[in-house]
Amino acid sequence: MDPLLGSRIVWTILLVSCCSRTVRSSIIYKVQEEQPPNTLIGSLAADQGLPDSGHLYKLEMGSPYLRVDGKTGDIFTTETPIDRETLKDCQNLFEGEPCKLEFEVSITDLMQNHGTRLLEGKIEVLDINDNTPQFSSPILTLSIPENTLLGALFPIPLATDRDSGRNGIANYELMVGTEGQGLFGLQVAEEQEEKQPQLIVMGNLDREQKDSYDLNIKVEDGGSPPRYSSALLRISITDANDNLPKFEKPQYEAELLENSPVGHSVLQVKANDSDMGPNGEIDYSFHQAVDVVQRLLRLDRTSGVISVKGLVDREEITTLRFYVIARDKGPIPKSSKTLVIIHVKDQNDNAPTIEIRGIGLVIHQDGVANISEDMPIGTPVALVQVSDRDEGENAVVTCVVAGDVPFQLKPASESASEKKRKYFLQTTTPLDYELVKQYRIEIVAVDSGNPALSSTNSLKVQVTDINDNVPVFSPSLFQVDFFENNKPGDRVLDVVATDADSGTNAELTYSIILDPSTKGLFEINEDTGEVKAKNQLDREHRERYEFVVAAADKGVPSLRGTATVVVRVLDRNDNDPKFMLNGYSFSVLENMPPLSPVGMVTVIDSDKGENAHVHLSVEPDNGKFVIQNGSGTILSSISFDREKESTYTFRLKAIDGGDPPRSSYVGVTINVLDENDNAPYITRPSNSSYNHLAPFTSPDTRVEKVEAEDIDTGPNAELVFSIIGGNPHELFRISPSDGEITLVKEILRKHIGLHRLVVKVSDKGKPPRHTTALVHIFVNETISNITMVEALVGHSLYTPLDTDIAGDPDYSQATQRSNILYGSLAGIAGVIVVIVVVMVIRYYLQKEAKSGYQAGKKENKDLYAPKQGPKGNKGKKGKKGKAPKPAKPLEEDEEASLQKGLKFNLINDGVNDSPRIHLPLNYPPGSPDLGRHYRSNSPLPSIQLQPQSPSASKKHQAVQDLPATNTFVGTGDNTSTGSDQYSDYSYKANPPKYSNKQVSDLCQTSL
């Protein structure tokens, strides 16, 4: 495409004569067809010197092919392409006639309100080569008689091209091939502005040798680049037909009155043929006639008479132009053609047409024009175009406004033709909305035909009120309750505003004034004022929303009123009660009284009202725990004993008061902490057992180990061992941590005998609890008399704990007595020898077998000394003349000692009391009846056991337990166990089985 043709070409013949409201102008633009959208065709402001600001340009005619920029007046193509071949006004153009598209543009002064002007113009649509030339058929047939003279011409059917000018048909080309070489040629003749291809006979044709030839003919237009097509030209060789038919006239013309009846004869074409017979008979037919010709006219094939076939309307077509061919009926027919032109004459058969459309800022809709009451006089309300499809006097139209209305018609353009006139319908007086709200304007148009035809059209003018009233909400404050957990799109409320104006000034558009706190939560129907929730509301997040709604009218300028909306979000039971922790663990001391608080839980419910009223309960409800609903305090219904059960586990259920209710659970663990409510108890050794220790045992030798247990835990079960009595010589020591007793010093003579260690076992509780154990250690080389040792241990159990039992109690007295004897009998050798021998023997006998004694008490009589006879043979002693005091019976001394030993209280545990023996109140299950055992086997006096119930306030009063494993009868080995008849019961002496004298005699016998 030539780029110059694609650009804007302005041909202006401008005669601009500006008055107050009319513009006389003639504007012609040229543009190529098929231009893309938004191609600039022309600029009215620039081309005509019109202002490019403060004016409104509006396309009044020319759509859908054109659009106009409202500010600059630039004319552009649209999405609908301009196709020259399909434009209605360019359908029946003759060669060389321009194709023009008319347009109208109104100009409104927005600044000074000088009214509206109208510009009229035409756009000449230039042809582009967008159509390919085509033959009427892909196979063309031509008959040539044999023996035709060389140089004879035969016309070839024409090709057609919808383009025009140089884009039309430019050339024909014949391709004869090998079989037609030298026989045929092509000549293109210019005939009545057409290129007529003619076949030239260049060689002799003989039908008997070849009766047909197939040639190709090509047609090409003059476009750039050119377009072309081809067809098969089939030549048939026939017998001779010498003369062609000849028309009497080279061209026929006639006039036809529109609306002529069917069958009306228009004209007759006539041709003559000099041949005879069928060669001279002529047949007439249309040649390359368009569809409208064949639809409106009939050609008699024999007579050549052309008559009316259909309704002829001059307003549809003004000229019919076509060719008629005359062809003889010879075997090889010959033909000729002539041009026929029929001019359709007008008849006053069309009434004037009145077209009313908006102009400038005034828009018409459904036959109604709206105009504000404050418009000045002379404001155009409509553009009235009056036209008549007839011509001449039949198209001269007179147009008036009927009735008494404040409107008149004023010519919009002085350059209009007689067939088409344009008027402004404008006001003549001020309009008052309060007096007249609307007008019905009737326009009458009458043509000058005979008889005259007329038509009417009407326009409803709606006077609009100026926007001087603000929309008002009633009330100005809307309050609404709205449940949470709504669905998006649920209706909240309707707000309604009113406007005292009318029309668009009273048409309201509702909106919500943007507020960051409510953005995206609510929406309003701009037409109805219905407020909806866009999202789900959550009262627990926010329970009150406040926003402002506005109602704006559609006036110019728009006025707006506002109101406040308060949405109170109501609660739904959509939250479970929630414990503050996923699980609770409490620690409490044992022995707490019932209904003591053991812990507190906190439960919250984000809902409100009854939905947030939470009831707590214990599951499973076994009666051990209750919970206070007001405070969430867990109370115990029992007193805890860690030794029986140290951990309690249960669930708390929280259920709210909603409908339906919601609930949740939490696990609770109660850990019972230990209280020092149990004293240690001795598991080894028993109080009545003893260990044998040889005198030559080296220091740091393990002698015994005290083992104890405490059923408490923690520091309350950590034990400390100490020796609190029976170790005056500090011969032994005990490990504080494990209770192991070891020998500290070498054993001396004075250490020979029974040692009773009083061991205290204390826990580390606060306050601490303790128990006391007796550990008996018999220091001697051998154990020759087990019964004697058991008797000593038995007497030890009667001895108060503040009295030490540690070795031989007569060791110091024996030493002193020996010195006296040695001094007094030094003179008497024989006596001294005897006495020394006796004393030495006695000393060694005492060392081997030690009799019972009461530790720390001097004996008036030597329990083991032989009875002395009368001292009458001692001369010196007898000088005093005093009879010796009678000896105190041995039974009385021993009985007093035993009773003294039984006076201590085994139960009272007062602070000021001296240490006492504490025996276990309860033996572990399976322990033997030690009392029964020693009543049947022990030679010592039996002791009756009387149980005493421990005090209720001192649970586990016992401080020593003696398992059965530590209780057995000695068998003569180093460690022997004495009688276990002494227990944690109060002692009651039975009548002695043996007298004190018998015990003394038994000891003497042993010695």
Side-chain angles (χ1 to χ4, degrees):
M1 181 192 302
D2 190 347
L4 294 177
L5 294 177
S7 63
R8 175 172 60 93
I9 306 175
V10 183
W11 292 41
T12 58
I13 305 172
L14 299 176
L15 297 174
V16 181
S17 173
C18 297
C19 58
S20 61
R21 290 181 179 84
T22 63
V23 174
R24 181 181 180 184
S25 61
S26 177
I27 304 173
I28 297 178
Y29 291 109
K30 290 186 178 183
V31 66
Q32 288 182 338
E33 65 172 333
E34 304 287 350
Q35 292 300 303
N38 299 318
T39 299
L40 179 63
I41 297 176
S43 177
L44 296 177
D47 297 339
Q48 298 202 43
L50 299 175
D52 58 359
S53 63
H55 288 70
L56 174 65
Y57 293 85
K58 181 183 176 184
L59 182 69
E60 304 293 346
M61 186 176 69
S63 62
Y65 303 105
L66 307 175
R67 72 172 180 87
V68 174
D69 187 287
K71 295 181 179 179
T72 64
D74 294 344
I75 302 175
F76 297 93
T77 59
T78 65
E79 298 292 336
T80 302
I82 303 175
D83 186 359
R84 180 181 179 276
E85 288 74 34
T86 60
L87 289 177
K88 181 179 179 180
D89 295 338
C90 302
Q91 290 294 309
N92 297 310
L93 296 177
F94 293 104
E95 187 70 26
E97 287 188 66
C99 174
K100 295 182 180 180
L101 176 64
E102 295 183 354
F103 68 89
E104 294 176 358
V105 176
S106 63
I107 307 175
T108 302
D109 191 343
L110 301 177
M111 304 298 293
Q112 299 181 2
N113 198 16
H114 284 167
T116 302
R117 292 174 289 177
L118 188 68
L119 294 179
E120 296 177 310
K122 296 180 181 180
I123 298 175
E124 182 179 348
V125 181
L126 304 178
D127 183 52
I128 64 173
N129 190 26
D130 57 344
N131 291 281
T132 301
Q134 298 286 341
F135 289 98
S136 59
S137 174
I139 300 178
L140 305 177
T141 302
L142 188 62
S143 298
I144 300 177
E146 62 179 344
N147 299 325
T148 300
L149 296 176
L150 299 180
L153 300 176
F154 294 89
I156 299 174
L158 296 175
T160 58
D161 193 331
R162 298 183 64 186
D163 295 327
S164 63
R166 67 177 184 177
N167 294 325
I169 296 174
N171 188 30
Y172 291 90
E173 181 180 353
L174 182 66
M175 292 164 284
V176 297
T178 57
E179 62 179 9
Q181 189 71 32
L183 295 178
F184 304 99
L186 181 68
Q187 174 181 306
V188 180
E190 294 285 342
E191 183 178 328
Q192 298 177 351
E193 301 179 355
E194 286 186 330
K195 294 183 181 296
Q196 175 64 58
Q198 296 175 331
L199 183 68
I200 305 174
V201 178
M202 300 175 63
N204 294 322
L205 302 178
D206 188 350
R207 184 176 179 276
E208 283 71 21
Q209 291 183 357
K210 189 173 179 63
D211 59 357
S212 68
Y213 296 90
D214 287 339
L215 310 179
N216 283 317
I217 184 168
K218 176 183 177 183
V219 61
E220 186 178 61
D221 62 21
S224 179
R227 290 175 174 266
Y228 63 88
S229 66
S230 60
L232 177 65
L233 179 60
R234 180 163 293 166
I235 300 174
S236 298
I237 307 300
T238 63
D239 288 336
N241 183 10
D242 297 335
N243 297 294
L244 296 173
K246 292 184 180 179
F247 283 96
E248 295 179 352
K249 297 180 181 179
Q251 178 176 321
Y252 292 85
E253 289 191 37
E255 292 184 351
L256 174 62
L257 187 64
E258 65 174 333
N259 300 323
S260 295
V262 176
H264 173 74
S265 178
V266 181
L267 60 84
Q268 182 180 18
V269 295
K270 188 172 180 62
N272 298 311
D273 194 320
S274 302
D275 293 327
M276 300 298 291
N279 294 335
E281 295 178 5
I282 299 175
D283 181 78
Y284 299 96
S285 63
F286 289 119
H287 175 66
Q288 295 183 339
V290 295
D291 292 341
V292 66
V293 172
Q294 298 184 26
R295 179 171 56 84
L296 299 178
L297 302 178
R298 176 183 291 110
L299 175 62
D300 189 290
R301 301 181 68 88
T302 303
S303 64
V305 175
I306 299 175
S307 60
V308 177
K309 178 181 178 182
L311 180 61
V312 179
D313 187 359
R314 190 204 62 81
E315 289 73 35
E316 179 183 348
I317 186 168
T318 59
T319 302
L320 298 173
R321 183 175 178 176
F322 54 91
Y323 288 93
V324 175
I325 290 181
R327 183 177 289 108
D328 62 26
K329 299 181 179 180
I332 305 300
K334 292 182 177 291
S335 64
S336 62
K337 67 178 180 178
T338 185
L339 177 64
V340 179
I341 299 176
I342 297 176
H343 301 283
V344 181
K345 302 298 291 183
D346 182 58
Q347 188 179 27
N348 192 23
D349 60 344
N350 291 282
T353 300
I354 303 174
E355 181 183 356
I356 303 175
R357 59 178 185 265
I359 181 71
L361 298 176
V362 181
I363 299 175
H364 293 192
Q365 185 175 4
D366 299 329
V368 179
N370 294 301
I371 183 171
S372 176
E373 62 176 333
D374 61 345
M375 287 294 182
I377 298 174
T379 299
V381 176
L383 178 65
V384 179
Q385 177 176 297
V386 181
S387 60
D388 197 317
R389 298 181 65 189
D390 296 325
E391 63 180 359
E393 289 298 322
N394 296 331
V396 177
V397 180
T398 301
C399 186
V400 295
V401 176
D404 184 14
V405 291
F407 297 93
Q408 67 178 4
L409 293 174
K410 186 171 184 178
S413 175
E414 295 182 1
S415 62
S417 64
E418 292 295 331
K419 295 177 61 177
K420 185 185 294 185
R421 292 182 178 273
K422 297 177 182 178
Y423 303 90
F424 286 132
L425 178 64
Q426 60 188 25
T427 59
T428 57
T429 59
L431 303 180
D432 190 346
Y433 174 80
E434 286 70 29
L435 295 178
V436 181
K437 294 181 174 56
Q438 66 181 21
Y439 295 91
R440 172 68 65 176
I441 302 172
E442 186 174 355
I443 300 174
V444 180
V446 181
D447 64 22
S448 300
N450 188 15
L453 298 177
S454 65
S455 62
T456 61
N457 198 356
S458 62
L459 174 67
K460 181 180 179 180
V461 176
Q462 185 78 44
V463 181
T464 58
D465 187 25
I466 61 174
N467 191 27
D468 54 353
N469 291 284
V470 177
V472 177
F473 285 95
S474 181
S476 59
L477 174 63
F478 294 89
Q479 298 188 26
V480 62
D481 294 333
F482 188 70
F483 278 98
E484 64 173 336
N485 297 337
N486 58 287
K487 294 180 179 179
D490 283 354
R491 173 185 170 276
V492 179
L493 79 160
D494 293 323
V495 295
V496 179
T498 57
D499 195 316
D501 294 324
S502 62
T504 56
N505 294 333
E507 294 179 9
L508 302 181
T509 299
Y510 296 92
S511 62
I512 296 177
I513 297 178
L514 293 179
D515 185 347
S517 64
T518 59
K519 183 178 181 181
L521 294 178
F522 299 95
E523 62 181 354
I524 189 170
N525 187 302
E526 64 177 10
D527 298 321
T528 64
E530 182 183 30
V531 179
K532 295 181 180 179
K534 293 180 65 177
N535 296 309
Q536 189 178 80
L537 302 184
D538 186 0
R539 188 205 63 79
E540 289 73 31
H541 173 69
R542 185 174 177 182
E543 59 181 349
R544 186 179 186 275
Y545 294 90
E546 181 176 328
F547 55 91
V548 178
V549 294
D553 58 32
K554 297 181 180 179
V556 179
S558 176
L559 300 179
R560 187 178 73 172
T562 60
T564 301
V565 176
V566 175
V567 179
R568 295 186 292 262
V569 183
L570 301 182
D571 185 58
R572 291 186 189 272
N573 193 23
D574 59 341
N575 289 279
D576 294 332
K578 183 179 180 181
F579 290 92
M580 295 303 292
L581 299 177
N582 294 329
Y584 289 88
S585 180
F586 300 107
S587 297
V588 297
L589 289 173
E590 60 179 333
N591 300 323
M592 291 174 58
L595 297 181
S596 296
V598 298
M600 180 180 293
V601 299
T602 303
V603 60
I604 61 174
D605 194 317
S606 300
D607 295 321
K608 190 177 182 181
E610 285 299 318
N611 296 333
H613 182 72
V614 179
H615 176 77
L616 298 172
S617 60
V618 178
E619 289 189 358
D621 188 5
N622 53 16
K624 294 183 179 180
F625 298 93
V626 295
I627 187 166
Q628 293 180 341
N629 274 289
S631 63
T633 302
I634 302 174
L635 304 177
S636 66
S637 300
I638 60 174
S639 179
F640 299 109
D641 186 350
R642 189 201 63 80
E643 287 72 33
K644 291 183 179 180
E645 191 169 358
S646 62
T647 302
Y648 297 86
T649 301
F650 54 89
R651 291 195 311 171
L652 290 180
K653 179 180 180 181
I655 182 170
D656 61 26
D659 185 18
R662 302 176 74 98
S663 62
S664 62
Y665 296 86
V666 71
V668 178
T669 301
I670 305 296
N671 297 308
V672 181
L673 300 180
D674 185 52
E675 190 177 41
N676 194 22
D677 56 349
N678 292 284
Y681 64 92
I682 307 298
T683 61
R684 181 181 184 276
S686 65
N687 287 341
S688 58
S689 64
Y690 63 89
N691 277 1
H692 172 251
L693 184 65
F696 48 81
T697 302
S698 61
D700 295 329
T701 299
R702 178 183 180 277
V703 178
E704 178 62 283
K705 182 175 183 180
V706 179
E707 296 180 357
E709 294 182 357
D710 195 320
I711 61 176
D712 293 323
T713 60
N716 296 332
E718 295 180 11
L719 303 181
V720 177
F721 299 84
S722 61
I723 297 175
I724 61 172
N727 192 25
H729 307 298
E730 296 183 353
L731 188 61
F732 304 97
R733 96 170 148 253
I734 189 168
S735 172
S737 58
D738 60 8
E740 186 174 83
I741 300 175
T742 57
L743 181 65
V744 178
K745 302 178 181 179
E746 291 184 357
I747 298 176
L748 303 178
R749 171 67 184 83
K750 63 180 179 179
H751 299 149
I752 300 299
L754 181 67
H755 293 259
R756 184 187 68 178
L757 300 180
V758 181
V759 177
K760 180 180 179 182
V761 183
S762 302
D763 58 28
K764 295 184 179 180
K766 292 183 180 181
R769 288 181 176 270
H770 70 275
T771 189
T772 304
L774 299 182
V775 180
H776 294 92
I777 302 172
F778 184 67
V779 181
N780 199 17
E781 293 179 356
T782 62
I783 301 177
S784 59
N785 192 339
I786 295 176
T787 303
M788 181 200 69
V789 178
E790 291 179 352
L792 294 175
V793 173
H795 282 285
S796 167
L797 297 177
Y798 286 95
T799 305
L801 299 183
D802 55 358
T803 301
D804 291 331
I805 299 177
D808 186 358
D810 298 327
Y811 172 75
S812 59
Q813 294 180 6
T815 303
Q816 185 177 10
R817 188 177 298 116
S818 298
N819 293 332
I820 294 174
L821 291 177
Y822 292 145
S824 62
L825 300 178
I828 306 170
V831 177
I832 294 173
V833 172
V834 174
I835 294 173
V836 170
V837 172
V838 174
M839 293 301 294
V840 170
I841 294 172
R842 179 177 177 273
Y843 172 78
Y844 282 104
L845 290 178
Q846 288 180 346
K847 183 177 181 182
E848 292 178 357
K850 187 177 180 181
S851 62
Y853 58 92
Q854 293 182 358
K857 178 181 178 183
K858 286 186 177 182
E859 296 288 347
N860 295 328
K861 297 293 184 177
D862 190 357
L863 184 61
Y864 304 104
K867 294 181 180 180
Q868 298 181 2
K871 297 182 179 181
N873 59 347
K874 302 282 182 178
K876 288 187 177 182
K877 298 296 181 183
K879 290 181 180 181
K880 292 183 180 179
K882 294 183 180 180
K885 292 182 179 180
K888 191 174 184 179
L890 180 62
E891 292 81 355
E892 295 178 6
D893 294 342
E894 291 181 359
E895 184 70 16
S897 176
L898 181 60
Q899 292 298 329
K900 184 177 181 180
L902 292 173
K903 287 179 181 180
F904 64 92
N905 187 358
L906 297 176
I907 300 301
N908 189 5
D909 209 11
V911 177
N912 297 325
D913 295 342
S914 60
R916 294 168 177 84
I917 298 176
H918 290 264
L919 301 179
L921 292 174
N922 296 306
Y923 289 98
S927 298
D929 189 345
L930 303 180
R932 183 171 67 250
H933 170 76
Y934 282 105
R935 280 196 298 271
S936 61
N937 295 282
S938 175
L940 297 179
S942 63
I943 298 175
Q944 182 179 353
L945 304 179
Q946 293 183 353
Q948 291 184 356
S949 298
S951 172
S953 63
K954 294 187 178 182
K955 183 172 57 175
H956 302 295
Q957 185 67 33
V959 296
Q960 181 179 9
D961 280 345
L962 302 177
T965 55
N966 293 329
T967 303
F968 57 91
V969 178
T971 58
D973 55 359
N974 289 339
T975 302
S976 175
T977 302
S979 172
D980 274 347
Q981 59 184 332
Y982 311 101
S983 63
D984 60 343
Y985 297 85
S986 61
Y987 291 93
K988 180 177 181 182
N990 293 328
K993 185 175 181 181
Y994 301 98
S995 64
N996 292 338
K997 180 175 177 58
Q998 290 173 325
V999 172
S1000 178
D1001 292 341
L1002 180 63
C1003 291
Q1004 290 291 343
T1005 303
S1006 298
L1007 293 174

